[in-house]
Amino acid sequence: MAAIPEKKDNLVIENIQPSIDAGRFAIKREPGDTVQITADIFRHSHEKYDAAIYYKLRNERRWRKAPMHFVDNDMWAGEFVVNSIGYYDYKIVAWTIDPKDTPTESALFELRVDPVYARAGTWYEMWPKSQGKSDTKSATFKDCEAQLDYIRDLGFDTVYLVPIHPIGVTNRKGANNALHAKTDKKGKPLEPGCPYAVGNKFGGHFDVDPELGTMKDFEHFAKTARSKGLRLALDIALNCSPDHPYAKKHPEWFYHEPDGSIKFAENPPKKYEDIYPFDYYNKNYKALWKEIRDIILFWADKGIEIFRIDNPHTKPFPFWEWLIREIKEQRPELVFLAEAFTRPKMMHRLAKSGFDMSYTYFAWREQRWEFEQYFKELTQSNAKEYMRGILFPTTPDIFPKYLANQGPAQFKQRYFLAGTLSSLTGLYNGYELCENIPSPVKEELWDSEKYQYKVHNWNAPVNIKDFVRRVNEARQNHPALQEYDNLDFHSADNSNLMVYSKKKDNDVILCVANMDMHNAQEGTISLDMSKLGLAEDAFFFIKDLITGESYVWHGAHNFVRLDPNKAPGHLLVVKKL
């Protein structure tokens, strides 16, 4: 027979929202955010009851209290403001007013408050070895330093560096991913190899490539970047070349072939003969995990605030949960980007596991309906509670076919979309120069700087630098473009016109994008005026931040015509009249 239970709580607290997997993972916010919580709260009989949210920073002793109020159908709501970065705990407490009995408490939920630059940033991806003037030798940190004014003047606030460590010699890749780099008569490589094959006789993940300079040179570069208002992000490739010191010192950290030799990396159908992957559950795995933690903390002490992690989906989820929490509990200002172009559920799980930002499928979206469907998923579903998507039109690994051999109009359109759809965006160096020759064998640029020394002509006559600057200035000056989950789509009678807006308090941005960069497109757009903070029949003033033109529109329905030779779209500031 079932035992009669002891006296239990009289109130039921359930369906607490927002929630990620019933509280398994933390929701994410930034300082200054208002956290809105709802829950279903009820009890038997007719006694009156009340409820509140109890919350505190993890290291605080005393709980703070925020009242809740009844909404409808047993749903209650309340809110509180977070002002400090770090981990918060919160719970709901409900109690009967008369007669008063033991309060009922919900389970404990977790909230992580990250720096604002986890939500808003404009990145410039720099390949350090390609910032010089010679295609036969590496540029240096001093050359990179000379580019900082150029990057800042284009309106970027973050410089993202690919790996800067010594590069392996064994099986070093050559130009355009050739299996072997060219060598001189003495066997010395004439090509730099891929920087993701980390490690040689000069060191590994704690060291800089001597071709770039010394650690003091890097520290000077980092200090100069900070003095110019530029944040630094570093690519962390958790790979080792066969020449990495770890291969001799810690062979147990790697996978092995039946004959005992260390196994090369594979990401079917790709093979990487210049890389050894770590075995994250080797017999000495705890030492490996701690070493990786120490690598990140080392570079944080050198001035890196953001870490872009290469291929995180090939490492165990428990590892990321441990590593990111371990680091953020010590250094909550550090931010992590997951470079994972993989299956959707894996990308979402990495975000839940702790990554602040995620790459997206932006580069593969072309049609209006694809964008609307995908960005509603990112910014209007529960995914917005844990996943912040960053948009790059291209990367060193991705050069979409619609940009191949195209001119400035197509390059402008993709940056227009990247810069206005998300509060996080990035540009790979050379994109502003419309570098457009595709590889004949893969979705990359030809003569990729991943495998060779490259010289960019920063003053090339064909470029979109002024356009990039205008988009970035809009991002800097308008709070609406610095929010992530405030994206709303509107309607147009032409499927080649995509209409969307972002609103933050009284700052309202309206975008109309031409999805066809080969033809002018026109049509009538239909606006949800409430999303713009306007009455249905209002007259309102708009100014285009790209062209400088201004207009007065009336009501929800207005005519537009967009010529790709003039601009890829309208980037409009909306003002009430």
Side-chain angles (χ1 to χ4, degrees), residues 61-113:
R61 291 185 177 182
R62 300 184 65 179
W63 291 92
R64 307 179 198 184
K65 183 179 178 181
M68 299 188 78
H69 63 274
F70 174 77
V71 179
D72 184 41
N73 194 25
D74 289 326
M75 186 176 81
W76 288 61
E79 62 184 35
F80 59 95
V81 176
V82 290
N83 292 311
S84 303
I85 59 174
Y87 287 93
Y88 281 73
D89 292 319
Y90 66 95
K91 61 185 177 181
I92 293 176
V93 179
W95 61 92
T96 304
I97 296 174
D98 187 25
K100 190 168 183 180
D101 57 7
T102 303
T104 299
E105 294 189 6
S106 73
L108 206 60
F109 287 77
E110 187 175 63
L111 162 71
R112 199 183 77 197
V113 180

Side-chain angles (χ1 to χ4, degrees), residues 143-270:
D143 295 317
C144 297
E145 203 169 299
Q147 285 292 101
L148 293 176
D149 285 338
Y150 169 84
I151 295 168
R152 182 191 60 188
D153 292 345
L154 284 176
F156 293 94
D157 56 37
T158 302
V159 178
Y160 152 39
L161 304 170
V162 299
I164 56 176
H165 316 298
I167 299 172
V169 175
T170 300
N171 295 330
R172 176 178 285 193
K173 296 289 185 72
N176 292 308
N177 202 24
L179 281 178
H180 301 288
K182 295 177 182 177
T183 60
D184 61 17
K185 293 180 180 179
K186 296 182 178 180
K188 181 181 178 181
L190 298 173
E191 296 172 302
C194 180
Y196 293 87
V198 177
N200 63 27
K201 65 182 181 180
F202 296 109
H205 286 81
F206 291 93
D207 304 287
V208 297
D209 192 324
E211 287 191 346
L212 291 168
T214 66
M215 185 63 76
K216 285 188 177 180
D217 293 332
F218 173 77
E219 290 169 347
H220 191 273
F221 167 81
K223 182 179 179 180
T224 304
R226 288 193 298 275
S227 74
K228 297 179 183 294
L230 293 167
R231 187 166 284 111
L232 290 182
L234 179 63
D235 203 333
I236 297 293
L238 296 176
N239 306 312
C240 297
S241 86
D243 309 312
H244 197 294
Y246 290 155
K248 289 184 178 179
K249 188 176 180 180
H250 291 287
E252 75 279 7
W253 285 357
F254 302 94
Y255 293 98
H256 292 79
E257 299 286 5
D259 65 1
S261 61
I262 297 177
K263 188 175 183 179
F264 292 113
E266 290 185 51
N267 188 8
K270 298 178 182 179

Side-chain angles (χ1 to χ4, degrees), residues 460-521:
V462 177
N463 68 77
I464 61 167
K465 291 190 289 187
D466 185 61
F467 179 81
V468 168
R469 186 180 295 110
R470 287 174 183 264
V471 172
N472 289 348
E473 285 176 351
R475 291 172 57 82
Q476 291 174 347
N477 296 331
H478 289 275
L481 291 173
Q482 298 164 19
E483 291 291 331
Y484 179 71
D485 59 355
N486 61 340
L487 178 66
D488 290 299
F489 287 96
H490 304 260
S491 301
D493 61 4
N494 181 343
S495 63
N496 284 303
L497 297 176
M498 184 167 71
V499 189
Y500 51 99
S501 65
K502 299 193 119 190
K503 183 178 183 296
K504 170 70 171 177
D505 299 326
N506 294 323
D507 186 42
V508 183
I509 296 291
L510 175 65
C511 297
V512 186
N514 182 353
M515 309 305 286
D516 175 8
M517 286 296 97
H518 299 286
N519 301 285
Q521 296 290 339

Side-chain angles (χ1 to χ4, degrees), residues 248-440:
K248 289 184 178 179
K249 188 176 180 180
H250 291 287
E252 75 279 7
W253 285 357
F254 302 94
Y255 293 98
H256 292 79
E257 299 286 5
D259 65 1
S261 61
I262 297 177
K263 188 175 183 179
F264 292 113
E266 290 185 51
N267 188 8
K270 298 178 182 179
K271 293 188 176 183
Y272 303 96
E273 296 86 353
D274 55 341
I275 288 174
Y276 289 158
F278 287 126
D279 176 359
Y280 286 84
Y281 287 117
N282 70 82
K283 64 182 181 181
N284 194 22
Y285 78 93
K286 291 182 179 180
L288 171 62
W289 289 23
K290 290 177 181 179
E291 183 81 353
I292 294 171
R293 174 201 61 193
D294 292 345
I295 290 169
I296 291 172
L297 292 174
F298 172 85
W299 289 106
D301 288 341
K302 297 295 182 183
I304 303 297
E305 293 179 276
I306 304 173
F307 294 88
R308 182 264 200 193
I309 305 295
D310 188 61
N311 270 350
H313 54 291
T314 61
K315 288 79 176 172
F317 296 120
F319 166 71
W320 293 123
E321 288 189 51
W322 173 83
L323 180 73
I324 295 174
R325 181 177 293 274
E326 173 80 2
I327 290 172
K328 280 185 172 281
E329 286 180 347
Q330 300 178 54
R331 302 286 297 273
E333 80 280 9
L334 301 182
V335 165
F336 293 83
L337 166 62
E339 186 269 344
F341 295 110
T342 183
R343 302 189 302 281
K345 291 180 181 179
M346 293 189 72
M347 293 170 71
H348 282 261
R349 182 69 182 212
L350 287 166
K352 292 176 183 179
S353 297
F355 281 93
D356 299 79
M357 314 170 188
S358 306
Y359 276 89
T360 68
Y361 300 137
F362 169 76
W364 294 280
R365 297 296 185 262
E366 298 184 49
Q367 304 299 317
R368 183 179 101 178
W369 69 267
E370 293 179 293
F371 279 101
E372 292 180 350
Q373 181 185 73
Y374 185 49
F375 280 89
K376 285 178 182 178
E377 174 196 330
L378 289 179
T379 65
Q380 297 178 17
S381 74
N382 198 49
K384 69 181 182 181
E385 305 294 347
Y386 58 86
M387 188 174 185
R388 308 178 182 103
I390 190 168
L391 311 184
F392 277 79
T394 63
T395 77
D397 302 305
I398 302 166
F399 187 70
K401 60 184 179 181
Y402 52 74
L403 287 171
N405 301 305
Q406 295 297 305
Q410 190 71 56
F411 281 76
K412 287 180 180 179
Q413 187 230 34
R414 297 304 296 194
Y415 194 69
F416 178 89
L417 295 172
T420 56
L421 283 167
S422 178
S423 54
L424 290 162
T425 193
L427 183 148
Y428 167 38
N429 66 196
Y431 184 94
E432 72 272 30
L433 309 176
C434 303
E435 295 176 350
N436 64 358
I437 307 301
S439 165

